Amino acid sequence: MAFMRTSSNASSGMGVAPDIRETFLELQMKKAFRYVIFKIEEKQKQVVVEKTGATTESYDDFLACLPENDCRYALYDFDFVTGENVQKSKIFFIAW
């Protein structure tokens, strides 16, 4: 994912915190979180992890963590069962 580069992006001057890649891999590979919320730290000129949600948290719990009047980026690991009764999971990137 492009947002996981740890160096500054030349066009925006915005970098990402070093722990973002590790947090993403924990969500993707280890299923350690239900969601990860990211925010932009203006003073540091980088994207940082603001909050992670436990695997027991719901989509409503996730929505309650998003600010009403500020932007955030998030990853949400959505579990579902297909029509063939197969358990699946999809990770969504959300721009809030």
Side-chain angles (χ1 to χ4, degrees), residues 55-90:
T55 57
T56 56
E57 292 191 46
S58 69
Y59 187 71
D60 288 333
D61 296 329
F62 164 71
L63 290 178
C65 294
L66 296 170
E68 187 174 322
N69 295 313
D70 203 3
C71 68
R72 292 293 185 270
Y73 300 100
L75 296 171
Y76 188 86
D77 191 2
F78 178 70
D79 292 330
F80 62 98
V81 178
T82 67
E84 294 81 30
N85 205 30
V86 177
Q87 183 72 33
K88 295 273 190 166
S89 175
K90 293 284 183 186

PDB file of all heavy atoms in Angstrom, residues 55-90:
ATOM      1  N   THR A  55     -10.425  -7.166  18.271  1.00  0.00           N
ATOM      2  CA  THR A  55     -11.161  -8.007  17.318  1.00  0.00           C
ATOM      3  C   THR A  55     -12.608  -8.221  17.734  1.00  0.00           C
ATOM      4  O   THR A  55     -13.443  -8.573  16.904  1.00  0.00           O
ATOM      5  CB  THR A  55     -10.474  -9.374  17.136  1.00  0.00           C
ATOM      6  OG1 THR A  55     -10.358 -10.004  18.412  1.00  0.00           O
ATOM      7  CG2 THR A  55      -9.109  -9.214  16.517  1.00  0.00           C
ATOM      8  N   THR A  56     -12.923  -7.986  18.989  1.00  0.00           N
ATOM      9  CA  THR A  56     -14.293  -8.153  19.477  1.00  0.00           C
ATOM     10  C   THR A  56     -15.162  -6.919  19.222  1.00  0.00           C
ATOM     11  O   THR A  56     -16.375  -6.970  19.405  1.00  0.00           O
ATOM     12  CB  THR A  56     -14.286  -8.438  20.987  1.00  0.00           C
ATOM     13  OG1 THR A  56     -13.576  -7.379  21.657  1.00  0.00           O
ATOM     14  CG2 THR A  56     -13.618  -9.772  21.288  1.00  0.00           C
ATOM     15  N   GLU A  57     -14.548  -5.820  18.779  1.00  0.00           N
ATOM     16  CA  GLU A  57     -15.303  -4.585  18.556  1.00  0.00           C
ATOM     17  C   GLU A  57     -16.104  -4.665  17.259  1.00  0.00           C
ATOM     18  O   GLU A  57     -15.720  -5.337  16.307  1.00  0.00           O
ATOM     19  CB  GLU A  57     -14.371  -3.382  18.546  1.00  0.00           C
ATOM     20  CG  GLU A  57     -13.768  -3.114  19.917  1.00  0.00           C
ATOM     21  CD  GLU A  57     -13.057  -1.789  20.005  1.00  0.00           C
ATOM     22  OE1 GLU A  57     -13.609  -0.772  19.548  1.00  0.00           O
ATOM     23  OE2 GLU A  57     -11.932  -1.775  20.526  1.00  0.00           O
ATOM     24  N   SER A  58     -17.206  -3.942  17.246  1.00  0.00           N
ATOM     25  CA  SER A  58     -18.121  -3.959  16.101  1.00  0.00           C
ATOM     26  C   SER A  58     -17.866  -2.766  15.182  1.00  0.00           C
ATOM     27  O   SER A  58     -17.102  -1.864  15.512  1.00  0.00           O
ATOM     28  CB  SER A  58     -19.571  -3.901  16.594  1.00  0.00           C
ATOM     29  OG  SER A  58     -19.829  -2.626  17.157  1.00  0.00           O
ATOM     30  N   TYR A  59     -18.581  -2.762  14.064  1.00  0.00           N
ATOM     31  CA  TYR A  59     -18.512  -1.631  13.143  1.00  0.00           C
ATOM     32  C   TYR A  59     -19.055  -0.369  13.811  1.00  0.00           C
ATOM     33  O   TYR A  59     -18.517   0.722  13.615  1.00  0.00           O
ATOM     34  CB  TYR A  59     -19.294  -1.947  11.859  1.00  0.00           C
ATOM     35  CG  TYR A  59     -19.134  -0.892  10.797  1.00  0.00           C
ATOM     36  CD1 TYR A  59     -17.939  -0.730  10.112  1.00  0.00           C
ATOM     37  CD2 TYR A  59     -20.194  -0.050  10.487  1.00  0.00           C
ATOM     38  CE1 TYR A  59     -17.795   0.239   9.132  1.00  0.00           C
ATOM     39  CE2 TYR A  59     -20.062   0.922   9.498  1.00  0.00           C
ATOM     40  CZ  TYR A  59     -18.852   1.066   8.840  1.00  0.00           C
ATOM     41  OH  TYR A  59     -18.712   2.031   7.882  1.00  0.00           O
ATOM     42  N   ASP A  60     -20.064  -0.511  14.638  1.00  0.00           N
ATOM     43  CA  ASP A  60     -20.603   0.634  15.376  1.00  0.00           C
ATOM     44  C   ASP A  60     -19.571   1.195  16.356  1.00  0.00           C
ATOM     45  O   ASP A  60     -19.466   2.412  16.526  1.00  0.00           O
ATOM     46  CB  ASP A  60     -21.888   0.259  16.115  1.00  0.00           C
ATOM     47  CG  ASP A  60     -23.067   0.057  15.168  1.00  0.00           C
ATOM     48  OD1 ASP A  60     -23.071   0.665  14.070  1.00  0.00           O
ATOM     49  OD2 ASP A  60     -23.978  -0.707  15.522  1.00  0.00           O
ATOM     50  N   ASP A  61     -18.796   0.313  16.998  1.00  0.00           N
ATOM     51  CA  ASP A  61     -17.712   0.763  17.878  1.00  0.00           C
ATOM     52  C   ASP A  61     -16.690   1.569  17.081  1.00  0.00           C
ATOM     53  O   ASP A  61     -16.208   2.616  17.534  1.00  0.00           O
ATOM     54  CB  ASP A  61     -17.003  -0.424  18.539  1.00  0.00           C
ATOM     55  CG  ASP A  61     -17.902  -1.213  19.466  1.00  0.00           C
ATOM     56  OD1 ASP A  61     -18.816  -0.620  20.081  1.00  0.00           O
ATOM     57  OD2 ASP A  61     -17.691  -2.438  19.580  1.00  0.00           O
ATOM     58  N   PHE A  62     -16.365   1.068  15.897  1.00  0.00           N
ATOM     59  CA  PHE A  62     -15.435   1.756  14.998  1.00  0.00           C
ATOM     60  C   PHE A  62     -15.959   3.141  14.637  1.00  0.00           C
ATOM     61  O   PHE A  62     -15.247   4.143  14.753  1.00  0.00           O
ATOM     62  CB  PHE A  62     -15.221   0.902  13.749  1.00  0.00           C
ATOM     63  CG  PHE A  62     -14.617   1.618  12.584  1.00  0.00           C
ATOM     64  CD1 PHE A  62     -13.289   2.019  12.607  1.00  0.00           C
ATOM     65  CD2 PHE A  62     -15.370   1.875  11.451  1.00  0.00           C
ATOM     66  CE1 PHE A  62     -12.725   2.681  11.522  1.00  0.00           C
ATOM     67  CE2 PHE A  62     -14.817   2.527  10.363  1.00  0.00           C
ATOM     68  CZ  PHE A  62     -13.496   2.939  10.401  1.00  0.00           C
ATOM     69  N   LEU A  63     -17.216   3.219  14.206  1.00  0.00           N
ATOM     70  CA  LEU A  63     -17.802   4.506  13.819  1.00  0.00           C
ATOM     71  C   LEU A  63     -17.813   5.498  14.975  1.00  0.00           C
ATOM     72  O   LEU A  63     -17.600   6.693  14.772  1.00  0.00           O
ATOM     73  CB  LEU A  63     -19.223   4.307  13.296  1.00  0.00           C
ATOM     74  CG  LEU A  63     -19.355   3.615  11.950  1.00  0.00           C
ATOM     75  CD1 LEU A  63     -20.824   3.438  11.598  1.00  0.00           C
ATOM     76  CD2 LEU A  63     -18.624   4.377  10.851  1.00  0.00           C
ATOM     77  N   ALA A  64     -18.028   5.014  16.182  1.00  0.00           N
ATOM     78  CA  ALA A  64     -18.057   5.886  17.361  1.00  0.00           C
ATOM     79  C   ALA A  64     -16.694   6.518  17.643  1.00  0.00           C
ATOM     80  O   ALA A  64     -16.620   7.565  18.294  1.00  0.00           O
ATOM     81  CB  ALA A  64     -18.543   5.099  18.577  1.00  0.00           C
ATOM     82  N   CYS A  65     -15.630   5.923  17.139  1.00  0.00           N
ATOM     83  CA  CYS A  65     -14.275   6.447  17.355  1.00  0.00           C
ATOM     84  C   CYS A  65     -13.872   7.512  16.342  1.00  0.00           C
ATOM     85  O   CYS A  65     -12.855   8.183  16.522  1.00  0.00           O
ATOM     86  CB  CYS A  65     -13.256   5.303  17.298  1.00  0.00           C
ATOM     87  SG  CYS A  65     -13.433   4.142  18.642  1.00  0.00           S
ATOM     88  N   LEU A  66     -14.658   7.670  15.293  1.00  0.00           N
ATOM     89  CA  LEU A  66     -14.322   8.648  14.255  1.00  0.00           C
ATOM     90  C   LEU A  66     -14.851  10.025  14.642  1.00  0.00           C
ATOM     91  O   LEU A  66     -15.995  10.157  15.083  1.00  0.00           O
ATOM     92  CB  LEU A  66     -14.897   8.214  12.911  1.00  0.00           C
ATOM     93  CG  LEU A  66     -14.320   6.928  12.356  1.00  0.00           C
ATOM     94  CD1 LEU A  66     -15.120   6.463  11.143  1.00  0.00           C
ATOM     95  CD2 LEU A  66     -12.854   7.093  12.004  1.00  0.00           C
ATOM     96  N   PRO A  67     -14.020  11.060  14.495  1.00  0.00           N
ATOM     97  CA  PRO A  67     -14.454  12.403  14.876  1.00  0.00           C
ATOM     98  C   PRO A  67     -15.521  12.944  13.921  1.00  0.00           C
ATOM     99  O   PRO A  67     -15.523  12.626  12.731  1.00  0.00           O
ATOM    100  CB  PRO A  67     -13.172  13.230  14.784  1.00  0.00           C
ATOM    101  CG  PRO A  67     -12.322  12.506  13.808  1.00  0.00           C
ATOM    102  CD  PRO A  67     -12.660  11.049  13.953  1.00  0.00           C
ATOM    103  N   GLU A  68     -16.401  13.761  14.449  1.00  0.00           N
ATOM    104  CA  GLU A  68     -17.492  14.295  13.637  1.00  0.00           C
ATOM    105  C   GLU A  68     -16.999  15.300  12.601  1.00  0.00           C
ATOM    106  O   GLU A  68     -17.491  15.319  11.479  1.00  0.00           O
ATOM    107  CB  GLU A  68     -18.529  14.953  14.553  1.00  0.00           C
ATOM    108  CG  GLU A  68     -19.782  15.382  13.831  1.00  0.00           C
ATOM    109  CD  GLU A  68     -20.835  15.892  14.781  1.00  0.00           C
ATOM    110  OE1 GLU A  68     -20.978  15.323  15.877  1.00  0.00           O
ATOM    111  OE2 GLU A  68     -21.503  16.870  14.421  1.00  0.00           O
ATOM    112  N   ASN A  69     -16.027  16.129  12.969  1.00  0.00           N
ATOM    113  CA  ASN A  69     -15.620  17.234  12.102  1.00  0.00           C
ATOM    114  C   ASN A  69     -14.129  17.254  11.783  1.00  0.00           C
ATOM    115  O   ASN A  69     -13.537  18.326  11.652  1.00  0.00           O
ATOM    116  CB  ASN A  69     -16.024  18.570  12.733  1.00  0.00           C
ATOM    117  CG  ASN A  69     -17.524  18.719  12.841  1.00  0.00           C
ATOM    118  OD1 ASN A  69     -18.243  18.451  11.888  1.00  0.00           O
ATOM    119  ND2 ASN A  69     -17.999  19.120  14.011  1.00  0.00           N
ATOM    120  N   ASP A  70     -13.517  16.110  11.686  1.00  0.00           N
ATOM    121  CA  ASP A  70     -12.090  16.045  11.363  1.00  0.00           C
ATOM    122  C   ASP A  70     -11.856  14.825  10.477  1.00  0.00           C
ATOM    123  O   ASP A  70     -12.598  13.851  10.548  1.00  0.00           O
ATOM    124  CB  ASP A  70     -11.262  15.945  12.638  1.00  0.00           C
ATOM    125  CG  ASP A  70      -9.834  16.416  12.471  1.00  0.00           C
ATOM    126  OD1 ASP A  70      -9.482  16.877  11.365  1.00  0.00           O
ATOM    127  OD2 ASP A  70      -9.062  16.336  13.441  1.00  0.00           O
ATOM    128  N   CYS A  71     -10.826  14.894   9.659  1.00  0.00           N
ATOM    129  CA  CYS A  71     -10.574  13.771   8.750  1.00  0.00           C
ATOM    130  C   CYS A  71      -9.727  12.698   9.427  1.00  0.00           C
ATOM    131  O   CYS A  71      -8.930  12.983  10.318  1.00  0.00           O
ATOM    132  CB  CYS A  71      -9.924  14.254   7.459  1.00  0.00           C
ATOM    133  SG  CYS A  71      -8.254  14.854   7.664  1.00  0.00           S
ATOM    134  N   ARG A  72      -9.926  11.481   8.984  1.00  0.00           N
ATOM    135  CA  ARG A  72      -9.150  10.330   9.427  1.00  0.00           C
ATOM    136  C   ARG A  72      -9.051   9.356   8.253  1.00  0.00           C
ATOM    137  O   ARG A  72      -9.838   9.396   7.315  1.00  0.00           O
ATOM    138  CB  ARG A  72      -9.815   9.603  10.602  1.00  0.00           C
ATOM    139  CG  ARG A  72      -9.861  10.366  11.894  1.00  0.00           C
ATOM    140  CD  ARG A  72      -8.473  10.580  12.476  1.00  0.00           C
ATOM    141  NE  ARG A  72      -8.513  11.215  13.777  1.00  0.00           N
ATOM    142  CZ  ARG A  72      -8.488  12.523  13.983  1.00  0.00           C
ATOM    143  NH1 ARG A  72      -8.480  13.353  12.963  1.00  0.00           N
ATOM    144  NH2 ARG A  72      -8.489  13.019  15.201  1.00  0.00           N
ATOM    145  N   TYR A  73      -8.094   8.449   8.358  1.00  0.00           N
ATOM    146  CA  TYR A  73      -7.967   7.323   7.450  1.00  0.00           C
ATOM    147  C   TYR A  73      -8.062   6.084   8.316  1.00  0.00           C
ATOM    148  O   TYR A  73      -7.664   6.094   9.479  1.00  0.00           O
ATOM    149  CB  TYR A  73      -6.630   7.361   6.706  1.00  0.00           C
ATOM    150  CG  TYR A  73      -6.468   8.619   5.894  1.00  0.00           C
ATOM    151  CD1 TYR A  73      -5.712   9.680   6.372  1.00  0.00           C
ATOM    152  CD2 TYR A  73      -7.104   8.761   4.670  1.00  0.00           C
ATOM    153  CE1 TYR A  73      -5.592  10.851   5.629  1.00  0.00           C
ATOM    154  CE2 TYR A  73      -6.990   9.916   3.923  1.00  0.00           C
ATOM    155  CZ  TYR A  73      -6.224  10.967   4.413  1.00  0.00           C
ATOM    156  OH  TYR A  73      -6.117  12.115   3.682  1.00  0.00           O
ATOM    157  N   ALA A  74      -8.604   5.014   7.756  1.00  0.00           N
ATOM    158  CA  ALA A  74      -8.782   3.816   8.572  1.00  0.00           C
ATOM    159  C   ALA A  74      -8.719   2.558   7.721  1.00  0.00           C
ATOM    160  O   ALA A  74      -8.962   2.584   6.515  1.00  0.00           O
ATOM    161  CB  ALA A  74     -10.127   3.885   9.297  1.00  0.00           C
ATOM    162  N   LEU A  75      -8.386   1.475   8.391  1.00  0.00           N
ATOM    163  CA  LEU A  75      -8.485   0.135   7.834  1.00  0.00           C
ATOM    164  C   LEU A  75      -9.492  -0.608   8.694  1.00  0.00           C
ATOM    165  O   LEU A  75      -9.446  -0.529   9.926  1.00  0.00           O
ATOM    166  CB  LEU A  75      -7.136  -0.586   7.897  1.00  0.00           C
ATOM    167  CG  LEU A  75      -6.017   0.024   7.073  1.00  0.00           C
ATOM    168  CD1 LEU A  75      -4.699  -0.668   7.398  1.00  0.00           C
ATOM    169  CD2 LEU A  75      -6.319  -0.108   5.595  1.00  0.00           C
ATOM    170  N   TYR A  76     -10.411  -1.320   8.046  1.00  0.00           N
ATOM    171  CA  TYR A  76     -11.416  -2.096   8.774  1.00  0.00           C
ATOM    172  C   TYR A  76     -11.424  -3.510   8.215  1.00  0.00           C
ATOM    173  O   TYR A  76     -11.581  -3.714   7.011  1.00  0.00           O
ATOM    174  CB  TYR A  76     -12.809  -1.468   8.636  1.00  0.00           C
ATOM    175  CG  TYR A  76     -13.816  -2.142   9.526  1.00  0.00           C
ATOM    176  CD1 TYR A  76     -13.973  -1.737  10.845  1.00  0.00           C
ATOM    177  CD2 TYR A  76     -14.584  -3.197   9.069  1.00  0.00           C
ATOM    178  CE1 TYR A  76     -14.874  -2.372  11.681  1.00  0.00           C
ATOM    179  CE2 TYR A  76     -15.492  -3.837   9.886  1.00  0.00           C
ATOM    180  CZ  TYR A  76     -15.624  -3.422  11.201  1.00  0.00           C
ATOM    181  OH  TYR A  76     -16.511  -4.073  12.034  1.00  0.00           O
ATOM    182  N   ASP A  77     -11.253  -4.483   9.099  1.00  0.00           N
ATOM    183  CA  ASP A  77     -11.249  -5.898   8.715  1.00  0.00           C
ATOM    184  C   ASP A  77     -12.663  -6.453   8.900  1.00  0.00           C
ATOM    185  O   ASP A  77     -13.118  -6.677  10.016  1.00  0.00           O
ATOM    186  CB  ASP A  77     -10.243  -6.664   9.576  1.00  0.00           C
ATOM    187  CG  ASP A  77      -9.986  -8.064   9.065  1.00  0.00           C
ATOM    188  OD1 ASP A  77     -10.549  -8.444   8.025  1.00  0.00           O
ATOM    189  OD2 ASP A  77      -9.204  -8.781   9.712  1.00  0.00           O
ATOM    190  N   PHE A  78     -13.351  -6.637   7.777  1.00  0.00           N
ATOM    191  CA  PHE A  78     -14.759  -7.040   7.777  1.00  0.00           C
ATOM    192  C   PHE A  78     -14.879  -8.545   7.567  1.00  0.00           C
ATOM    193  O   PHE A  78     -14.442  -9.079   6.547  1.00  0.00           O
ATOM    194  CB  PHE A  78     -15.500  -6.289   6.665  1.00  0.00           C
ATOM    195  CG  PHE A  78     -16.939  -6.643   6.540  1.00  0.00           C
ATOM    196  CD1 PHE A  78     -17.848  -6.269   7.516  1.00  0.00           C
ATOM    197  CD2 PHE A  78     -17.395  -7.351   5.442  1.00  0.00           C
ATOM    198  CE1 PHE A  78     -19.194  -6.587   7.397  1.00  0.00           C
ATOM    199  CE2 PHE A  78     -18.739  -7.675   5.308  1.00  0.00           C
ATOM    200  CZ  PHE A  78     -19.635  -7.290   6.288  1.00  0.00           C
ATOM    201  N   ASP A  79     -15.462  -9.227   8.541  1.00  0.00           N
ATOM    202  CA  ASP A  79     -15.712 -10.667   8.446  1.00  0.00           C
ATOM    203  C   ASP A  79     -17.123 -10.905   7.922  1.00  0.00           C
ATOM    204  O   ASP A  79     -18.063 -10.197   8.307  1.00  0.00           O
ATOM    205  CB  ASP A  79     -15.590 -11.339   9.814  1.00  0.00           C
ATOM    206  CG  ASP A  79     -14.166 -11.330  10.341  1.00  0.00           C
ATOM    207  OD1 ASP A  79     -13.231 -11.355   9.525  1.00  0.00           O
ATOM    208  OD2 ASP A  79     -13.996 -11.291  11.577  1.00  0.00           O
ATOM    209  N   PHE A  80     -17.274 -11.908   7.067  1.00  0.00           N
ATOM    210  CA  PHE A  80     -18.592 -12.238   6.530  1.00  0.00           C
ATOM    211  C   PHE A  80     -18.619 -13.700   6.101  1.00  0.00           C
ATOM    212  O   PHE A  80     -17.587 -14.353   6.007  1.00  0.00           O
ATOM    213  CB  PHE A  80     -18.959 -11.321   5.360  1.00  0.00           C
ATOM    214  CG  PHE A  80     -18.034 -11.432   4.174  1.00  0.00           C
ATOM    215  CD1 PHE A  80     -18.369 -12.225   3.079  1.00  0.00           C
ATOM    216  CD2 PHE A  80     -16.824 -10.743   4.150  1.00  0.00           C
ATOM    217  CE1 PHE A  80     -17.521 -12.329   1.992  1.00  0.00           C
ATOM    218  CE2 PHE A  80     -15.971 -10.842   3.062  1.00  0.00           C
ATOM    219  CZ  PHE A  80     -16.313 -11.630   1.982  1.00  0.00           C
ATOM    220  N   VAL A  81     -19.816 -14.199   5.848  1.00  0.00           N
ATOM    221  CA  VAL A  81     -20.011 -15.572   5.390  1.00  0.00           C
ATOM    222  C   VAL A  81     -20.626 -15.496   3.994  1.00  0.00           C
ATOM    223  O   VAL A  81     -21.609 -14.790   3.775  1.00  0.00           O
ATOM    224  CB  VAL A  81     -20.926 -16.357   6.354  1.00  0.00           C
ATOM    225  CG1 VAL A  81     -21.166 -17.770   5.830  1.00  0.00           C
ATOM    226  CG2 VAL A  81     -20.330 -16.395   7.747  1.00  0.00           C
ATOM    227  N   THR A  82     -20.043 -16.225   3.049  1.00  0.00           N
ATOM    228  CA  THR A  82     -20.534 -16.221   1.668  1.00  0.00           C
ATOM    229  C   THR A  82     -21.824 -17.032   1.552  1.00  0.00           C
ATOM    230  O   THR A  82     -22.224 -17.732   2.496  1.00  0.00           O
ATOM    231  CB  THR A  82     -19.488 -16.825   0.706  1.00  0.00           C
ATOM    232  OG1 THR A  82     -19.349 -18.217   1.002  1.00  0.00           O
ATOM    233  CG2 THR A  82     -18.150 -16.117   0.806  1.00  0.00           C
ATOM    234  N   GLY A  83     -22.438 -16.965   0.389  1.00  0.00           N
ATOM    235  CA  GLY A  83     -23.637 -17.754   0.116  1.00  0.00           C
ATOM    236  C   GLY A  83     -23.390 -19.247   0.199  1.00  0.00           C
ATOM    237  O   GLY A  83     -24.307 -20.035   0.420  1.00  0.00           O
ATOM    238  N   GLU A  84     -22.130 -19.646   0.021  1.00  0.00           N
ATOM    239  CA  GLU A  84     -21.750 -21.059   0.113  1.00  0.00           C
ATOM    240  C   GLU A  84     -21.359 -21.439   1.537  1.00  0.00           C
ATOM    241  O   GLU A  84     -20.764 -22.485   1.779  1.00  0.00           O
ATOM    242  CB  GLU A  84     -20.574 -21.364  -0.826  1.00  0.00           C
ATOM    243  CG  GLU A  84     -20.902 -21.230  -2.308  1.00  0.00           C
ATOM    244  CD  GLU A  84     -20.858 -19.769  -2.773  1.00  0.00           C
ATOM    245  OE1 GLU A  84     -20.083 -18.965  -2.210  1.00  0.00           O
ATOM    246  OE2 GLU A  84     -21.623 -19.434  -3.689  1.00  0.00           O
ATOM    247  N   ASN A  85     -21.635 -20.537   2.503  1.00  0.00           N
ATOM    248  CA  ASN A  85     -21.347 -20.750   3.922  1.00  0.00           C
ATOM    249  C   ASN A  85     -19.846 -20.850   4.218  1.00  0.00           C
ATOM    250  O   ASN A  85     -19.410 -21.653   5.034  1.00  0.00           O
ATOM    251  CB  ASN A  85     -22.098 -21.976   4.465  1.00  0.00           C
ATOM    252  CG  ASN A  85     -22.325 -21.870   5.961  1.00  0.00           C
ATOM    253  OD1 ASN A  85     -22.451 -20.779   6.502  1.00  0.00           O
ATOM    254  ND2 ASN A  85     -22.381 -23.017   6.624  1.00  0.00           N
ATOM    255  N   VAL A  86     -19.052 -20.028   3.524  1.00  0.00           N
ATOM    256  CA  VAL A  86     -17.604 -19.976   3.744  1.00  0.00           C
ATOM    257  C   VAL A  86     -17.270 -18.676   4.467  1.00  0.00           C
ATOM    258  O   VAL A  86     -17.676 -17.597   4.047  1.00  0.00           O
ATOM    259  CB  VAL A  86     -16.847 -20.044   2.393  1.00  0.00           C
ATOM    260  CG1 VAL A  86     -15.348 -19.908   2.603  1.00  0.00           C
ATOM    261  CG2 VAL A  86     -17.179 -21.335   1.670  1.00  0.00           C
ATOM    262  N   GLN A  87     -16.522 -18.789   5.570  1.00  0.00           N
ATOM    263  CA  GLN A  87     -16.098 -17.607   6.325  1.00  0.00           C
ATOM    264  C   GLN A  87     -15.022 -16.869   5.543  1.00  0.00           C
ATOM    265  O   GLN A  87     -14.030 -17.465   5.127  1.00  0.00           O
ATOM    266  CB  GLN A  87     -15.546 -18.029   7.691  1.00  0.00           C
ATOM    267  CG  GLN A  87     -15.140 -16.881   8.576  1.00  0.00           C
ATOM    268  CD  GLN A  87     -16.316 -16.101   9.146  1.00  0.00           C
ATOM    269  OE1 GLN A  87     -17.370 -16.667   9.419  1.00  0.00           O
ATOM    270  NE2 GLN A  87     -16.138 -14.815   9.307  1.00  0.00           N
ATOM    271  N   LYS A  88     -15.218 -15.564   5.330  1.00  0.00           N
ATOM    272  CA  LYS A  88     -14.266 -14.730   4.590  1.00  0.00           C
ATOM    273  C   LYS A  88     -13.994 -13.463   5.368  1.00  0.00           C
ATOM    274  O   LYS A  88     -14.714 -13.122   6.303  1.00  0.00           O
ATOM    275  CB  LYS A  88     -14.824 -14.342   3.212  1.00  0.00           C
ATOM    276  CG  LYS A  88     -15.024 -15.493   2.271  1.00  0.00           C
ATOM    277  CD  LYS A  88     -13.765 -15.758   1.533  1.00  0.00           C
ATOM    278  CE  LYS A  88     -14.034 -16.748   0.405  1.00  0.00           C
ATOM    279  NZ  LYS A  88     -12.975 -16.816  -0.523  1.00  0.00           N
ATOM    280  N   SER A  89     -12.941 -12.746   4.925  1.00  0.00           N
ATOM    281  CA  SER A  89     -12.570 -11.474   5.527  1.00  0.00           C
ATOM    282  C   SER A  89     -12.031 -10.558   4.437  1.00  0.00           C
ATOM    283  O   SER A  89     -11.279 -11.008   3.568  1.00  0.00           O
ATOM    284  CB  SER A  89     -11.504 -11.725   6.598  1.00  0.00           C
ATOM    285  OG  SER A  89     -11.050 -10.512   7.116  1.00  0.00           O
ATOM    286  N   LYS A  90     -12.429  -9.290   4.485  1.00  0.00           N
ATOM    287  CA  LYS A  90     -11.921  -8.287   3.540  1.00  0.00           C
ATOM    288  C   LYS A  90     -11.474  -7.070   4.338  1.00  0.00           C
ATOM    289  O   LYS A  90     -12.144  -6.666   5.294  1.00  0.00           O
ATOM    290  CB  LYS A  90     -13.001  -7.842   2.548  1.00  0.00           C
ATOM    291  CG  LYS A  90     -13.438  -8.897   1.600  1.00  0.00           C
ATOM    292  CD  LYS A  90     -12.414  -9.098   0.522  1.00  0.00           C
ATOM    293  CE  LYS A  90     -12.933 -10.149  -0.469  1.00  0.00           C
ATOM    294  NZ  LYS A  90     -11.969 -10.495  -1.459  1.00  0.00           N
TER     295      LYS A  90
END
